[in-house]
């Protein structure tokens, strides 16, 4: 189908779901009646490669280039010997991972269906975990190991740059100079390149676009983006090519190398809607060059790279950018894999998620390691809850998928509450998860509301589990606060993933050890389900990068690269080699996530001497025991998410005295329960529950509920904190 714009994500990002950038842009272009087609070339290359014909071609190609098999590993030799088994099983396995062939799970789990190479050696260590997994999940994990074995062979014998979620990432990381990437692009295309170009050729011939958009979210997409642009420039020089996405937004803000524009006509920064619309109008309407206006766009003029930001128009509000449109993407052909046997960690690789955003930017915007000077963080703009849920319904209708991943920098608690209320009011059955800050606003009741609306998981930055460093980072939380919030989520049935950091400026060895102990205790308490350690990296647009002297670090160079310029090499004045902690931190976390080795001494994770932790063994336990009881705020919202009770009235007698009593019976999803009050309180309670029901648009505050009670009776606090209300609090009477 011919369209004016063709947008792609080059290899590789995720196997299980599309990266959403092109869908966001297509959704916006729909609002302008601009025709656009999109493709995820990453999944299309994977499906071509991991197919019966793809493996036949792969092994045949390897035979020609691997002349001396003495130079390859025993593992590669084993895979070559079993190549017929791989070729025989690959199509069935891919169909299974696409959800099209569920009965194959029994075969996969039988232990004699899949050929097994080195990745399967870890199975003995994880044998215990399969007891808690269903057949489908176990089969997914085994099939994932099978694909990883083929990937190992591909990397060793065909293309060292291959990775399921990245390609030639090394060329995109800290590429201050364009020289190495440019030289690589002048070489013959790789085996993977040939597959990519074959697919791209078919797309371009079919679509015949006037404007070709390439989204580059990560360093692992950069090389393939240039390969795609290179081929189109060579074969269709009349097509204009533009790059946008996360990589240029952070890395290419000081671009000055004109050779980049041998491949691209434009590189846009930050929100892409208006920059792309202006480029489109300049091209389609043949506007004279002198009348061209641009928004945050690099281009070449008179042989020099210039940055044009001369359009007077403001960026579009989030309410006006449209609903992401996934039309054209192969939604039923993505592959769900389970790399790690951990229910939270699998969220990034298993299942198809519609990606949405609750708010542009970050409402906190203070963390000193973060790019808070850039618009994608700095410009905070929430979307109205009703519009968010409208978009959820629209995507559900169009994709048939009711799973949503909100890809916010940090979703605001108040907005999450309003979204949850709207989902429940509309009686939608959806599943969703998002990224958060561990705010104290995430009370027990808010977490229960989120769970009721379909929230199954949250991820958030604990970073360094040290109050001194959290203050230096300006994270706005303490370890004790994080502990209570993770407890609230976990008890509500919402899984929690923590982003963890080591090597922050001035961090001592003792603080690294103590941080690991905090993490160990969080897993031991069962209030953290998953995590990931990453070493601190100093970026040009973060407070640490802009003012390194304030944080005890020194830039190794003040030179600004002519190509990428984000990651900055630096020297920490402490002189500590933080890199040496990497293996021990990650190995311990891997075991903690599987619920094992929580009783190991911390020293056992490292092959060098570390100091003993100074954190008390019961620190987290004590933090959880200190359960502060505050009086309910007058402005707190009171919501009932249960159903209507059935009422019965009776007379109770004791020592000659009689009372009119009420018995209210409630049917909860899992059980039926009854509470008793005096008749007047029971009648009032029945009426107020109807008023504060979640199905109503009006939401009552605690103050309003109290005033309503006191119109008829006295001693509201005695009633509110008594057993009947406490029972209802357990079953859906929420204070938000």
């Amino acid at each position: 189908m011919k369209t004016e714009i063709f947008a792609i994500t080059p290899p590789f990002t995720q196997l299980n779901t599309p990266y959403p950038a092109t869908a966001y842009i297509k959704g916006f272009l729909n609002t302008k009646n601009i025709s656009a087609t999109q493709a995820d070339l990453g999944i299309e290359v994977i499906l071509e490669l991991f197919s019966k014909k793809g493996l036949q071609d792969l092994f045949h190609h390897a035979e020609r280039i691997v002349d001396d098999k003495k130079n390859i590993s025993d593992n590669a030799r084993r895979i070559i010997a079993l190549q017929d088994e791989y070729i025989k099983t690959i199509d069935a396995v891919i169909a299974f991972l696409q959800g099209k062939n569920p009965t194959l799970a029994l075969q996969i789990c039988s232990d004699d269906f899949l050929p097994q190479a080195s990745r399967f050696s870890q199975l003995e260590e994880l044998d215990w975990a399969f007891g808690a997994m269903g057949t489908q999940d176990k089969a997914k994990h085994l099939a994932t190991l099978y694909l990883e074995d083929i990937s190992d062979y591909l990397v060793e014998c065909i293309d060292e740059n291959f990775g399921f979620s990245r390609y030639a990432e090394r060329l995109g990381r800290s590429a201050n100079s364009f020289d190495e990437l440019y030289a690589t692009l002048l070489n013959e295309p790789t085996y993977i390149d040939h597959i990519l170009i074959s697919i791209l050729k078919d797309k371009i011939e079919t679509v015949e676009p006037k404007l070709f958009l390439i989204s580059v979210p990560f360093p692992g997409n950069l090389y393939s983006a240039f390969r795609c642009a290179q081929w189109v420039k060579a074969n269709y020089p009349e097509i204009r090519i533009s790059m946008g996405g996360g990589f240029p937004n952070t890395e290419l803000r000081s671009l000055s190398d004109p050779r980049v524009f041998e491949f691209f006509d434009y590189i846009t920064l930050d929100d892409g809607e208006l920059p792309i619309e202006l480029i489109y109008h300049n091209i389609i309407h043949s506007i004279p060059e002198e009348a061209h206006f641009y928004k945050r766009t690099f281009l070449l003029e008179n042989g020099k790279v210039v940055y044009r930001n001369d359009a007077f128009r403001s960026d579009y509000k989030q309410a006006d950018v449209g609903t992401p449109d996934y039309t054209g993407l192969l939604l039923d052909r993505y592959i769900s894999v389970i790399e790690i046997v951990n229910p939270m960690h699998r969220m990034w690789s298993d299942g198809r998620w519609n990606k949405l955003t609750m708010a542009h930017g970050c409402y906190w915007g203070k963390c000193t390691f973060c790019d808070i000077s850039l618009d994608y963080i700095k410009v905070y703009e929430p979307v109205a809850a009703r519009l968010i849920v409208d978009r959820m319904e629209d995507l559900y209708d169009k994709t048939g998928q009711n799973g949503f991943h909100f890809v916010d920098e940090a979703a605001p608690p108040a907005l999450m509450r309003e979204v949850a209320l709207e989902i429940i009011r509309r009686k939608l059955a959806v599943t969703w998860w998002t990224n958060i800050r561990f705010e104290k606003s995430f009370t027990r009741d808010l977490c229960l509301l989120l769970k009721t609306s379909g929230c199954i998981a949250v991820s958030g930055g604990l970073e360094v589990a040290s109050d001194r460093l959290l203050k230096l980072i300006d994270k706005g939380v303490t370890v004790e606060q994080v502990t209570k919030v993770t407890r609230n989520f976990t008890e509500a049935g919402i899984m929690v993933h923590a982003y963890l950091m080591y090597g922050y400026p001035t961090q001592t060895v003792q603080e690294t050890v103590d941080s690991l102990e905090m993490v160990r205790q969080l897993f031991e308490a069962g209030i953290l389900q998953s995590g990931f350690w990453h070493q601190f990296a100093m970026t040009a647009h973060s407070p640490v990068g802009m003012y390194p002297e304030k944080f005890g670090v020194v830039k190794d160079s003040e030179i600004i690269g002519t190509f990428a310029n984000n990651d900055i090499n630096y020297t920490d004045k402490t002189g500590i080699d933080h890199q040496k902690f990497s293996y021990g931190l990650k190995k311990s976390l891997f075991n903690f996530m599987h619920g094992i080795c929580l009783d190991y001494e911390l020293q056992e994770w490292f092959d060098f001497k570390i100091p003993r932790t100074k954190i008390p063994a019961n620190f987290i336990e004590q933090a959880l025991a200190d359960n502060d009881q505050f009086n309910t705020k007058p402005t707190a919202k009171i919501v009932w998410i249960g159903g209507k009770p059935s009422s019965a009235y009776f007379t109770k007698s004791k020592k000659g005295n009689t009372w009119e009593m009420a018995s209210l019976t409630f049917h909860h999803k899992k059980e039926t329960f009854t509470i008793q009050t005096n008749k007047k309180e029971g009648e009032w309670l029945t009426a107020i529950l109807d008023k504060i029901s979640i199905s109503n648009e009006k939401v009552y505050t605690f103050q309003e509920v109290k005033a309503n009670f006191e119109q008829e009776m006295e001693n509201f606090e005695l009633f509110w904190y008594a057993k009947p209300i406490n029972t209802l609090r357990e079953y859906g009477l929420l204070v938000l």
Side-chain angles (χ1 to χ4, degrees), residues 73-129:
S73 67
D74 289 342
N75 189 57
R77 275 195 286 271
R78 174 172 173 77
I79 291 172
I80 290 170
L82 291 169
Q83 62 180 280
D84 287 345
E85 293 298 320
Y86 285 102
I87 290 167
K88 181 180 81 174
T89 52
I90 187 65
D91 283 348
V93 169
I94 292 295
F96 168 72
L97 292 175
Q98 291 171 332
K100 297 173 182 175
N101 191 12
T103 55
L104 191 71
L106 297 169
Q107 279 265 64
I108 293 173
C109 293
S110 67
D111 204 36
D112 62 355
F113 178 72
L114 297 178
Q116 299 182 10
S118 63
R119 294 285 183 155
F120 284 77
S121 62
Q122 64 184 272
L123 281 181
E124 289 181 14
E125 299 174 30
L126 294 177
D127 226 17
W128 59 271

Side-chain angles (χ1 to χ4, degrees), residues 501-512:
M501 183 190 294
Y502 63 100
Y504 190 81
T506 74
Q507 183 172 357
T508 65
V509 170
Q510 184 68 58
E511 285 172 324
T512 301

Side-chain angles (χ1 to χ4, degrees), residues 548-619:
E549 65 284 351
K550 292 183 179 179
F551 298 90
V553 293
V554 178
K555 289 182 183 180
D556 290 352
S557 172
E558 293 291 341
I559 296 173
I560 296 175
T562 57
F563 186 54
N565 180 47
N566 191 38
D567 285 4
I568 299 173
N569 293 326
Y570 66 95
T571 301
D572 190 331
K573 291 179 181 177
T574 63
I576 297 169
D577 177 14
H578 295 289
Q579 177 61 35
K580 68 180 182 179
F581 289 92
S582 177
Y583 181 77
L585 290 172
K586 291 175 182 177
K587 184 178 180 182
S588 61
L589 184 62
F590 180 85
N591 284 276
F592 296 165
M593 287 198 299
H594 289 92
I596 55 178
C597 304
L598 290 161
D599 57 347
Y600 277 30
E601 292 291 331
L602 299 187
Q603 179 63 66
E604 296 187 49
W605 300 114
F606 302 94
D607 58 3
F608 55 90
K609 186 69 177 172
I610 62 168
R612 294 180 67 84
T613 182
K614 293 184 177 180
I615 303 299
N618 63 347
F619 180 89

Side-chain angles (χ1 to χ4, degrees), residues 641-660:
I641 61 174
K644 292 183 179 181
S646 56
S647 306
Y649 301 100
F650 62 96
T651 303
K652 186 175 181 180
S653 302
K654 187 174 182 181
K655 294 182 180 180
N657 295 316
T658 60
W659 300 269
E660 291 293 312

Side-chain angles (χ1 to χ4, degrees), residues 259-314:
R259 293 175 297 174
V260 171
F261 293 90
E262 294 174 22
F263 305 84
F264 291 91
D265 297 290
Y266 315 100
I267 293 178
T268 65
L269 302 182
D270 304 324
D271 293 353
E273 291 85 3
L274 184 56
I276 288 169
E277 184 186 13
L278 291 171
I279 290 170
Y280 166 81
H281 284 302
N282 289 339
I283 295 169
I284 300 301
H285 300 303
S286 302
I287 298 171
E289 191 71 34
E290 62 274 11
H292 284 190
F293 292 99
Y294 295 94
K295 193 79 172 178
R296 296 185 303 275
T297 301
F298 284 106
L299 61 156
L300 203 63
E301 291 183 349
N302 301 317
K304 290 189 176 181
V305 179
V306 297
Y307 179 68
R308 295 278 299 273
N309 192 25
D310 45 17
F312 293 110
R313 291 173 59 188
S314 300

Side-chain angles (χ1 to χ4, degrees), residues 302-356:
N302 301 317
K304 290 189 176 181
V305 179
V306 297
Y307 179 68
R308 295 278 299 273
N309 192 25
D310 45 17
F312 293 110
R313 291 173 59 188
S314 300
D315 281 300
Y316 286 93
K317 295 294 183 184
Q318 291 301 298
D320 301 323
V321 296
T323 300
D325 183 352
Y326 289 88
T327 305
L329 299 176
L330 309 179
L331 296 183
D332 61 341
R333 300 189 66 193
Y334 282 84
I335 302 168
S336 287
V337 295
I338 298 179
E339 300 167 84
I340 295 179
V341 186
N342 175 284
M344 175 71 212
H345 214 78
R346 67 188 283 181
M347 302 280 288
W348 282 271
S349 64
D350 185 25
R352 245 282 295 132
W353 303 101
N354 292 316
K355 305 213 175 184
L356 282 171

Side-chain angles (χ1 to χ4, degrees), residues 144 154 201 212 232 367 472 479 500 637 647:
T144 304
L154 208 164
K201 180 176 182 290
F212 181 32
V232 171
C367 298
L472 190 61
V479 175
L500 305 163
K637 294 175 170 58
S647 306

